[in-house]
Coordinates of all heavy atoms in Angstrom, one line a residue:
P46 N 164.5 156.6 74.6 CA 164.9 155.2 74.8 C 163.9 154.5 75.4 O 163.2 154.9 76.4 CB 166.2 155.3 75.6 CG 166.8 156.6 75.5 CD 165.7 157.5 75.2
H47 N 163.5 153.3 75.0 CA 162.5 152.5 75.4 C 162.7 151.1 74.8 O 163.4 150.7 74.0 CB 161.1 153.0 75.0 CG 160.8 153.1 73.4 ND1 161.4 153.9 72.6 CD2 160.0 152.1 72.7 CE1 161.1 153.7 71.4 NE2 160.3 152.7 71.4
T48 N 161.7 150.1 75.3 CA 161.8 148.8 74.9 C 160.3 148.4 74.4 O 159.4 149.0 74.9 CB 162.3 147.7 75.9 OG1 161.4 147.8 77.1 CG2 163.7 148.2 76.4
H49 N 160.2 147.2 73.8 CA 158.9 146.6 73.5 C 158.9 145.2 73.9 O 160.0 144.5 73.9 CB 158.5 146.7 71.9 CG 158.5 148.1 71.4 ND1 157.4 149.0 71.8 CD2 159.3 148.7 70.5 CE1 157.8 150.2 71.1 NE2 158.8 150.0 70.4
E50 N 157.6 144.7 74.2 CA 157.6 143.2 74.4 C 157.5 142.5 73.0 O 157.7 141.3 72.9 CB 156.3 142.9 75.1 CG 156.4 143.4 76.7 CD 155.2 143.1 77.4 OE1 154.2 143.7 77.1 OE2 155.3 142.4 78.4
T51 N 157.2 143.3 71.9 CA 157.1 142.7 70.6 C 158.5 143.0 69.9 O 159.4 143.8 70.4 CB 156.0 143.4 69.8 OG1 156.3 144.8 69.7 CG2 154.7 143.2 70.6
Y52 N 158.5 142.5 68.6 CA 159.6 143.0 67.7 C 159.1 144.3 67.1 O 157.9 144.7 67.2 CB 159.7 142.0 66.6 CG 160.1 140.6 66.9 CD1 159.2 139.7 67.4 CD2 161.4 140.2 66.8 CE1 159.6 138.4 67.7 CE2 161.9 139.0 67.1 CZ 160.9 138.0 67.5 OH 161.3 136.8 67.9
A53 N 160.0 145.2 66.6 CA 159.7 146.4 65.9 C 160.4 146.2 64.5 O 161.7 146.2 64.5 CB 160.2 147.6 66.6
I54 N 159.6 146.1 63.4 CA 160.2 145.9 62.2 C 159.8 147.1 61.3 O 158.6 147.3 60.9 CB 159.7 144.6 61.5 CG1 160.0 143.4 62.4 CG2 160.3 144.4 60.1 CD1 159.3 142.1 61.9
A55 N 160.7 148.0 61.0 CA 160.4 149.2 60.3 C 161.0 149.4 59.0 O 162.2 149.4 58.9 CB 160.8 150.4 61.3
A56 N 160.2 149.4 57.9 CA 160.7 149.8 56.5 C 160.7 151.2 56.4 O 159.6 151.8 56.4 CB 159.9 149.0 55.6
V57 N 161.8 151.7 56.0 CA 161.9 153.2 55.6 C 161.7 153.4 54.1 O 162.3 152.7 53.3 CB 163.3 153.7 56.1 CG1 163.5 155.1 55.6 CG2 163.5 153.6 57.6
L58 N 160.8 154.4 53.9 CA 160.4 154.6 52.5 C 161.0 155.8 51.9 O 161.3 155.9 50.8 CB 158.9 154.8 52.4 CG 158.0 153.5 52.4 CD1 158.1 152.8 53.7 CD2 156.6 153.8 52.0
D59 N 161.3 156.8 52.8 CA 161.9 158.1 52.4 C 162.7 158.7 53.5 O 162.3 158.5 54.6 CB 160.8 159.1 51.8 CG 161.3 160.2 51.0 OD1 162.6 160.1 50.6 OD2 160.8 161.3 51.0
G60 N 163.7 159.5 53.3 CA 164.4 160.1 54.3 C 165.4 159.1 54.9 O 165.7 158.1 54.4
C61 N 165.7 159.4 56.3 CA 166.5 158.5 57.0 C 166.2 158.6 58.5 O 166.0 159.7 59.0 CB 168.0 159.0 56.7 SG 169.2 158.0 57.7
E62 N 166.1 157.5 59.1 CA 165.9 157.4 60.6 C 167.2 157.1 61.2 O 167.9 156.0 60.9 CB 164.9 156.3 60.9 CG 164.7 156.2 62.5 CD 163.9 155.1 63.0 OE1 163.7 154.1 62.1 OE2 163.4 155.1 64.1
A63 N 167.6 157.8 62.3 CA 168.8 157.5 63.1 C 168.3 156.9 64.4 O 167.3 157.4 64.9 CB 169.6 158.8 63.3
F64 N 169.0 155.8 64.9 CA 168.5 155.3 66.1 C 169.8 154.5 66.8 O 170.7 154.1 66.1 CB 167.4 154.3 66.0 CG 167.7 153.0 65.2 CD1 167.9 151.8 65.8 CD2 167.8 153.1 63.8 CE1 168.2 150.7 65.0 CE2 168.1 152.0 63.1 CZ 168.2 150.8 63.6

Side-chain angles (χ1 to χ4, degrees):
H47 64 285
T48 65
H49 300 292
E50 292 176 299
T51 66
Y52 299 82
I54 304 169
V57 176
L58 281 67
D59 193 22
C61 182
E62 181 191 16
F64 65 105

